[in-house]
Amino acid sequence: MPNMAPKKTAIPEQDPNVRSRNFEEVTLGYTDEMALEEAKRCLQCKLKPCMNGCPVNVRIPEFIRCIVDGDIEKAYQVITSTNSLPAVCGRVCPQESQCEQKCVRGIKNEPVGIGRLERYVADWYMKNRERHPHHTEPNGHKVAVVGAGPAGLTCAVDLSALGYSVTIFEALHTAGGVLMYGIPQFRLPKEIVQKEIETLEASGVEKKTDMVIGKVLSVDELFAMGFEAVFVGSGAGLPSFMNIPGEGLVGVYSANEFLTRINLMKAYREGYDTPIIHPQRVAVVGGGNVAMDAARSAKRLGAQEVHIVYRRAEEQMPARREEIHHAKEEGIRFQLLTNPVAIHGDKDGRVTEIECVKMELGEPDKSGRRRPIEIEGSNFRIPVDCVIMAIGNSPNPLIHKTTDGLEVNRHGCIVVDEGTLESTRRGVFAGGDAVTGAATVILAMGEGKHAARSIDEYIKSKQKSSNH
Ligand code: FAD
Ligand code: SF4
Ligand code: SF4
């Protein structure tokens, strides 16, 4: 008999007052009993609508059935047959707008906690088993992958499983992309990311770090080195600013820089002398996941007062509901319908205040969201010693500028054929944030998979025509 409880089985969490001062993971994961209870909420629907909501088509009812049967090892095999980073996705996928949005249990009540169950299975496996990567006979063809984020890693592993000799070129000293330098430790522990990446790397993919393509080597040089195709998964790491007065003051960061200093350069750990301001009063500008991560990180770094400054209303915030909820629980203050117009500083050039105006919502704009309109004369100031800009990222133009024939759109995103993900330059494929602009981990992984299939077809068809 299925468990017809209307709500998801609750997941244990750290107390908000305690967790807002440490970088340990916020949610603690299901116990065996909790996972079984939640798995029993699944109705094992014949049409499997939940699977259609997952960009990599995880066989959801099948893996949940395995949990009910007590075969967690098999559940893991089912998940990893299509998703190579389950511990990551179980934690950070926006399930509410993907798999769980399509779950029939969600029509009247809460959907099945698919993400929580995926995380449970992945964590169980990591604790109890060794993952054995499969090695395929080499097929004699070489492919280069630029960027070791979710898109590049997935593409590399899938090509390697098809027999290709794959080399990943990564600009930073470590693989993982945003999983390592962007998403904070308290949402996605770096040890978990490292473990998942190590397993992928064990499949025989070669990794070259500190290799900025476009500077150290160009895409043309990769072809000259004998690579027959190149996949570009270089992400969208270029932060946007508002172009308001005062953005050059000391104490103004892009969210990328602030989070990189905390995550990758471990600014929160004792014994690390990472250069970073330990602010007391912070304004974070933006309403997405990146803004929530920056605000919650500032709080954990010791800030007494952290404000989110967002120009629309809460309903329009692009951040996940769970992140907004957690931020509120941790005491982050929300300044909604508020837009910054200037940042003020002292005689030493340090931030002292952010000046804002109040907004009201007008008619819907092109995005379908109601356009925020400034209320004249509503200026006010918030005293702060740090301002973090989290208003969006776009792809870095380096690769586009150094590769002949590679077209980008007006947002700087690489233009690709939707069917194959091949760019306007023959043999160069692209996917993830470099193509879509800032999106999600699982969409980037889906594109990495898609590109691997296309590259395989491309190389095979080239070989066929050269044999004729
Ligand atoms: P990235 O992860 O950006 O990886 C690109 C890699 O390419 C990087 O390692 C970079 O160093 C490397 N690179 C760049 N240029 C070069 C070059 N010239 N040569 C060599 N290497 C290069 N998504 C979710 O699904 N859930 C979340 O909760 C979530 N939270 C987020 C929080 C933050 C703070 C941020 C910034 C993003 C978040 N995202 C979230 C978005 C998600 O992380 C990205 O959509 C995803 O990582 C994109 O994957 P990617 O492989 O395309 O790019
Ligand atoms: Fe849901 Fe993400 Fe898992 Fe797919 S990968 S089933 S979208 S949590
Ligand atoms: Fe289970 Fe929901 Fe999928 Fe149905 S839609 S099989 S209840 S997870």
Side-chain angles (χ1 to χ4, degrees), residues 92 147 149-151 170-171 177-178 187 211 213 233-235 293 432-433 439-441 444:
V92 304
E170 165 57 46
V178 171
R187 278 212 298 129
M211 293 292 281
I213 299 303
S234 50
D293 283 345
D433 283 6
T440 64
V441 173

Side-chain angles (χ1 to χ4, degrees), residues 319-336:
R320 294 184 65 190
R321 295 300 111 182
E322 183 179 285
E323 302 313 323
I324 296 173
H325 170 70
H326 279 151
K328 282 187 177 168
E329 276 188 338
E330 291 165 14
I332 308 296
R333 301 184 192 184
F334 282 62
Q335 308 285 349
L336 300 168

